Amino acid sequence: MTAVLVLVFVVALIIGVPVSIAMGGAGMAALVWGGSFSPLLVPQRLFSGIDSFPLMAVPFFILAAELMTGGRITDLLVRFACQLIGNVRGGLGYANVLMAIFMAGISGSALADAAGPGSVIIRMMRQAGYPTAYAAALTASGAIIAPIIPPSIIMIIYALTDNSVSVIGLFLAGIVPGLMLGTSLLFVNWWIAKRRNFTFPLQRPAWGQFLKESWKVFPALLMPVIILGGIHGGVFTPTEASAVAAIYAFFVGRFVIGTLSIAQVPRILVNTALMTSAVLLVVSMASIFAYMLTVLQIPQAVSQYIASLGLSPTMLLIVVSLFLLVCGLFLDTLPAVIILVPILAPLAQNAGIDPLHFAMVVILNLTIGMITPPVGAVLFVITVVAKVPIFTLARAIIPMLAAEFLVFTLIVFVPALTLWLPNFFGYAR
């Protein structure tokens, strides 16, 4: 059965089958081939994979982001970032990164940020005179900040997969690494803008107009504070926080800013349902694949082999990071978390590595994989949005990738960067 599971999965990936379908098909094929399991296990495992109360946070966070986008709050964020720093050399590049940081606290999805506000800022940079490939590369690099700064869909899935960490702990652990990613991209933009002489400044608005725009944006920027503060204060659970976020997004868009109309709500609900279905399909299909891995004792075999190497905690993190880097080239982030975390997390705990630190190493590594070929999902979204060939985009993104890998290396070797906020609020081990 092991050979069938691996063979079907690999062949399906090679011929271009979506990863979720490849995992589900491989798990079903192995289950049926063995003959010792009832076919009824298939629907049972598919359903049990998504039969989780904490998983309800995913559609509500997606809905909150869609309400923000539908209410044109994301447009206000883009304009605010441009007005804030668009008047200096490379200003729109800085605004691009700031917009990515702002949006990260709202959407939690790299793909949503790349396809939505990313398309707006790319168009603005192109019109201002920036090379399209550079604008697209900077946008793609900034989009992956979304799964790192809370709220984050990937962190919710990780917490469901590894019971040794909490959602709020992961949310807090992601703040500093997310801001470090943004800072590294700001530095790259400064270096490239100076080297290529990007002098396309925007006119600074009058102070009255700037303050008016800032007032409109302020309620949107409060969303992460409300989510984290409410969870930490015990006002609501992480799942309930997602519903609060959706209600808050509707209230801000409808009554505070006034840009969200009731006529937009049906379309927003449909978009939310489609995006949620895609996420739940991945989780459901990955659950049957992970179940067959467990039945065949593949995780146990891998764990025993790595444990037999007698690696120090630091060397274990390096080996795991290299392994995840390779996996990230071929697997989407959510399936990789569901499949690999049950194998790797126990190893880290046995080696004395803090679960939150290890979680951030895994999440950051796999998230960076979203902008690395050949299966970088964000790259493919940006190529469609910006109409840039994939090879051109892959070359342009090299400096940004180098900066983000430097941040990742710091996170691996300096656990305090990840753990000091969870420690301060009492969520680290």
Side-chain angles (χ1 to χ4, degrees):
M1 285 194 293
T2 303
V4 173
L5 182 72
V6 175
L7 184 62
V8 172
F9 180 62
V10 171
V11 170
L13 289 180
I14 292 174
I15 64 177
V17 176
V19 176
S20 59
I21 304 301
M23 289 188 299
M28 295 177 198
L31 189 147
V32 173
W33 183 273
S36 57
F37 298 97
S38 168
L40 291 176
L41 270 177
V42 173
Q44 290 175 0
R45 298 309 307 180
L46 291 175
F47 177 75
S48 64
I50 57 176
D51 183 23
S52 169
F53 177 72
L55 198 59
M56 289 180 63
V58 172
F60 282 114
F61 278 131
I62 293 175
L63 176 59
E66 285 292 312
L67 287 167
M68 287 285 190
T69 303
R72 298 179 60 190
I73 297 175
T74 54
D75 294 345
L76 292 176
L77 287 172
V78 173
R79 190 158 62 245
F80 172 70
C82 293
Q83 292 176 350
L84 186 65
I85 201 169
N87 65 309
V88 300
R89 183 197 300 269
L92 274 179
Y94 295 124
N96 191 325
V97 179
L98 288 179
M99 182 272 300
I101 295 173
F102 294 156
M103 282 301 303
I106 295 173
S107 70
S109 169
L111 295 178
D113 284 5
S119 63
V120 177
I121 196 69
I122 289 174
R123 184 172 64 251
M124 293 178 65
M125 292 183 71
R126 182 192 291 130
Q127 292 172 350
Y130 291 82
T132 303
Y134 176 72
L138 192 61
T139 302
S141 305
I144 68 166
I145 300 175
I148 308 301
I149 293 179
S152 167
I153 294 173
I154 295 173
M155 290 180 181
I156 295 171
I157 302 300
Y158 191 104
L160 291 174
T161 308
D162 181 6
N163 293 327
S164 64
V165 295
S166 63
V167 173
I168 180 62
L170 286 174
F171 280 2
L172 290 170
I175 293 175
V176 172
L179 294 177
M180 289 176 65
L181 286 178
T183 303
S184 71
L185 294 179
L186 290 173
F187 177 80
V188 169
N189 179 72
W190 169 83
W191 177 68
I192 294 180
K194 183 177 180 180
R195 185 166 173 258
R196 299 186 186 180
N197 195 29
F198 286 160
T199 53
F200 315 113
L202 298 178
Q203 184 178 0
R204 181 183 288 277
W207 275 107
Q209 181 184 352
F210 178 74
L211 292 175
K212 182 179 179 181
E213 294 290 338
S214 302
W215 172 252
K216 289 182 179 180
V217 168
F218 181 72
L221 299 180
L222 276 180
M223 180 183 285
V225 178
I226 293 173
I227 292 172
L228 294 175
I231 297 174
H232 176 67
V235 179
F236 37 69
T237 67
T239 306
E240 294 165 346
S242 63
V244 171
I247 296 171
Y248 179 77
F250 176 81
F251 179 81
V252 170
R254 178 64 178 162
F255 300 107
V256 178
I257 300 177
T259 52
L260 179 65
S261 66
I262 298 299
Q264 293 175 281
V265 173
R267 177 180 55 82
I268 289 172
L269 292 176
V270 170
N271 290 341
T272 301
L274 291 174
M275 293 181 66
T276 301
S277 299
V279 173
L280 295 184
L281 177 65
V282 171
V283 175
S284 181
M285 290 293 185
S287 68
I288 190 171
F289 188 83
Y291 172 76
M292 290 308 301
L293 286 175
T294 304
V295 168
L296 298 172
Q297 296 190 333
I298 295 176
Q300 292 87 332
V302 173
S303 298
Q304 289 174 4
Y305 172 74
I306 297 179
S308 68
L309 299 177
L311 301 174
S312 66
T314 302
M315 282 303 302
L316 178 62
L317 278 177
I318 294 173
V319 170
V320 168
S321 297
L322 293 174
F323 173 67
L324 290 173
L325 180 62
V326 174
C327 291
L329 297 177
F330 303 98
L331 286 177
D332 287 335
T333 309
L334 290 182
V337 166
I338 297 171
I339 294 172
L340 299 176
V341 169
I343 300 174
L344 301 175
L347 284 172
Q349 293 181 35
N350 292 336
I353 300 172
D354 189 281
L356 278 177
H357 179 219
F358 183 75
M360 285 311 305
V361 169
V362 172
I363 292 171
L364 188 54
N365 194 321
L366 293 176
T367 301
I368 292 176
M370 300 179 77
I371 55 172
T372 55
V375 192
V378 171
L379 285 186
F380 286 104
V381 170
I382 291 294
T383 58
V384 174
V385 169
K387 297 180 174 59
V388 176
I390 184 68
F391 294 108
T392 302
L393 179 57
R395 285 195 300 268
I397 208 171
I398 290 174
M400 295 81 170
L401 264 178
E404 293 184 330
F405 272 121
L406 176 60
V407 171
F408 172 73
T409 303
L410 290 173
I411 295 301
V412 170
F413 288 102
V414 187
L417 295 172
T418 297
L419 297 177
W420 79 270
L421 262 182
N423 274 326
F424 181 79
F425 288 101
Y427 290 99
R429 188 176 60 181

